[in-house]
């Protein structure tokens, strides 16, 4: 026997996907899916790639710099001022040499951050929030379930990186045993390649872990943005208006339009009827209109009201069912009749004008 989960139908249960408006409001508040670890991991991988490409040139320039400044140091008098000048020169030269690699890391890291959240500027986040630095608030955040999950996630990340580093160091240890048989000049190159391979593996592990974290952040954000059925109804009322109010407005608009239409019946030249189901009032002024114009039309009760108004204002009534139906179905109020009805309407107007000339209704 199946049991119904009635809580799923509760008004407060957040089971509905977030609307575009709710997502936009959350974005304005800075609530977006992002993983800082992904930015740092991609930047670290970019640094390694830049070192792989630019490393030989950087190392060669550094060797020339050391030979130039320290090659003849034995002949120089070592003074405090000389050492300070030498250190300043070395630091500035090192910064200049490493600048391209740092620029690559900065650009790639910025691109990774922008790709996660797209261009976003939230001035509210620049203001100080004293609740964040409150010890009580911080302790509640740490002791909460979310804090425990974040701590567990950090431990898993650390364990994964340490595991990759350990396996890489284990393979590096086997290489160290063979260094005794290598020539002394080849040792730095062997060690450099081993360390670089270790860094590459760690970077790959960091990128994979950060990508998983980014997927989790998106999932967590989606869950936090979910809405209840009542919230959906409230938002619909705010964006589109209360249905009852909208219905009342439409009803009022129809009443105003109907009243204005009935007032136009008095200005009509003729009312063509079906005889009881349809009524269409036409007006024609040769100096301002290219063709006769429908000033009022209706069916059933509205048609009866149009005929009554026409009789009150001595507007001629002409019974012509095919023409009345054609006008009612094809011409809107305020529009001129189509050319294919010119002949039929002209005959009706000519008949009306003849009757007026004879003094008959």
């Amino acid at each position: 026997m199946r049991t119904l989960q009635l809580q799923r139908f509760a008004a407060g249960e957040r089971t509905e996907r977030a609307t575009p408006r709710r997502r936009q409001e959350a974005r304005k508040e800075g609530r977006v899916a992002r993983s800082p670890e992904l930015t740092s991991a991609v930047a670290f991988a970019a640094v390694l790639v830049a070192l792989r490409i630019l490393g030989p040139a950087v190392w060669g320039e550094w060797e020339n710099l050391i030979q130039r400044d320290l090659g003849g140091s034995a002949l120089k008098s070592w003074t405090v001022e000389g050492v300070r000048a030498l250190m300043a020169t070395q630091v500035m030269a090192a910064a200049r040499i490493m600048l391209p690699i740092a620029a690559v890391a900065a650009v790639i890291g910025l691109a990774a951050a922008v790709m996660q959240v797209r261009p976003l500027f939230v001035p509210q986040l620049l203001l100080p929030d004293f609740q964040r630095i409150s010890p009580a608030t911080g302790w509640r955040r740490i002791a909460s379930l979310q804090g425990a999950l974040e701590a567990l996630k950090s431990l898993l990340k650390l364990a994964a990186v340490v595991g990759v580093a350990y396996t890489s160091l284990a393979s590096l240890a086997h290489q160290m045993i063979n260094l005794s048989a290598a020539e002394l000049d080849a040792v730095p190159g062997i060690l450099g390649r081993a360390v670089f391979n270790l860094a590459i593996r760690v970077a790959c592990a960091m990128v994979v872990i950060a990508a998983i974290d980014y997927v989790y952040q998106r999932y967590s954000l989606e869950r936090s943005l979910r809405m209840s059925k009542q919230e959906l109804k409230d938002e619909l009322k705010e964006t589109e208006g209360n249905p009852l109010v909208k219905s009342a407005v439409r009803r009022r608009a129809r009443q105003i339009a109907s009243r204005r239409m009935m007032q136009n019946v008095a200005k009509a030249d003729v009312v063509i009827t079906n005889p009881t189901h349809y009524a269409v009032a036409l007006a024609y002024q040769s100096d301002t209109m290219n063709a006769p114009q429908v000033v009022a039309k209706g069916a059933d009760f509205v048609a009866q009201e149009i005929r009554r108004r026409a009789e009150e204002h001595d507007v001629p009534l002409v019974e012509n069912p095919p023409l009345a139906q054609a006008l009612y179905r094809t011409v809107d109020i305020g529009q001129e009749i189509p050319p294919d009805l010119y002949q039929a309407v002209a005959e009706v107007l000519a008949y009306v004008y003849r009757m007026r000339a004879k003094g008959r209704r």
Side-chain angles (χ1 to χ4, degrees):
M1 180 178 179
R2 283 189 173 181
T3 59
L4 293 177
Q5 298 179 352
L6 297 180
Q7 67 272 16
R8 297 180 64 89
F9 300 95
E13 184 71 15
R14 295 189 173 185
T15 58
E16 307 302 318
R17 291 176 59 87
T19 60
R21 181 189 179 190
R22 187 177 181 89
R23 295 178 189 277
Q24 188 65 25
E25 290 177 351
R27 181 174 175 80
K28 291 180 180 178
E29 297 173 0
R31 296 171 57 192
V32 291
R34 63 185 183 89
S35 173
E37 288 85 356
L38 182 59
T39 302
S40 57
V42 172
F44 180 52
V47 168
L48 295 179
V49 173
L51 281 174
R52 182 67 175 143
I53 298 174
L54 304 176
V58 170
W59 182 253
E61 189 171 354
W62 205 311
E63 282 185 339
N64 296 333
L65 178 66
I66 293 176
Q67 291 177 2
R68 185 194 69 188
D69 292 340
L70 301 179
S73 61
L75 302 176
K76 297 180 181 178
S77 59
W78 290 93
T79 61
V80 175
E81 290 77 9
V83 172
R84 287 179 179 174
L86 180 61
M87 291 298 294
T89 303
Q90 289 287 326
V91 170
M92 294 299 295
R96 178 177 55 82
I97 293 172
M98 298 301 295
L99 182 61
I101 298 177
V104 169
V107 171
I108 298 298
L110 180 61
V114 172
M115 288 178 64
Q116 292 183 68
V117 301
R118 303 191 303 275
L120 177 64
F121 177 68
V122 184
Q124 293 85 348
L125 297 181
L126 300 178
L127 300 176
D129 189 356
F130 295 102
Q131 291 184 352
R132 290 182 174 273
I133 61 178
S134 172
T137 304
W139 174 250
R140 286 196 299 268
R141 186 165 55 246
I142 294 174
S144 64
L145 178 61
Q146 184 65 26
L149 291 176
E150 290 295 330
L152 178 62
K153 186 174 63 174
S154 299
L155 289 176
L156 292 177
K157 294 177 187 176
L158 180 61
V161 173
V162 170
V164 172
Y166 177 78
T167 55
S168 300
L169 288 175
S171 62
L172 180 60
H174 294 289
Q175 297 180 15
M176 294 295 182
I177 299 176
N178 300 326
L179 285 180
S180 58
E183 297 183 0
L184 186 60
D185 294 341
V187 171
I190 295 175
L191 289 176
R193 285 191 294 271
V195 172
F196 186 79
N197 291 334
L198 170 62
I200 286 291
R201 293 177 183 177
V202 171
C204 292
M206 290 176 59
V207 170
V208 172
I209 294 172
I212 296 174
D213 179 63
Y214 176 69
V215 173
Y216 170 77
Q217 294 296 337
R218 289 187 63 89
Y219 170 76
S220 179
L221 178 66
E222 287 295 326
R223 284 186 59 86
S224 66
L225 293 180
R226 284 182 180 177
M227 305 173 66
S228 65
K229 296 184 182 297
Q230 184 61 41
E231 288 175 335
L232 284 175
K233 293 179 181 178
D234 294 341
E235 181 176 310
L236 184 63
K237 289 181 181 179
E238 292 178 4
T239 54
E240 298 185 3
N242 192 315
L244 296 178
V245 175
K246 291 179 64 177
S247 177
V249 170
R250 287 195 295 265
R251 184 168 59 252
R252 179 63 177 169
R254 286 195 297 267
Q255 292 175 353
I256 295 174
S258 178
R259 188 179 302 114
R260 185 181 301 113
M261 182 184 69
M262 292 302 175
Q263 293 174 354
N264 291 334
V265 173
K267 305 175 184 178
D269 292 307
V270 64
V271 173
I272 303 175
T273 65
N274 192 29
T276 57
H277 295 295
Y278 298 102
V280 180
L282 297 177
Y284 179 62
Q285 297 178 1
S286 59
D287 54 343
T288 60
M289 299 180 184
N290 296 322
Q293 186 181 90
V294 174
V295 295
K297 71 174 185 177
D300 299 329
F301 175 76
V302 179
Q304 295 177 14
E305 183 66 18
I306 291 175
R307 287 194 298 272
R308 188 183 66 81
R309 288 294 185 96
E311 291 175 351
E312 289 180 357
H313 295 88
D314 294 330
V315 176
L317 296 172
V318 176
E319 185 175 323
N320 189 331
L323 181 58
Q325 295 179 19
L327 290 170
Y328 181 82
R329 293 170 180 170
T330 60
V331 187
D332 292 330
I333 297 174
Q335 290 185 345
E336 295 181 351
I337 64 173
D340 56 341
L341 297 179
Y342 281 178
Q343 182 64 32
V345 173
E347 293 176 358
V348 171
L349 288 177
Y351 170 76
V352 170
Y353 295 155
R354 287 197 302 268
M355 294 299 100
R356 282 182 179 175
K358 295 179 180 181
R360 297 170 55 187
R361 186 180 176 191

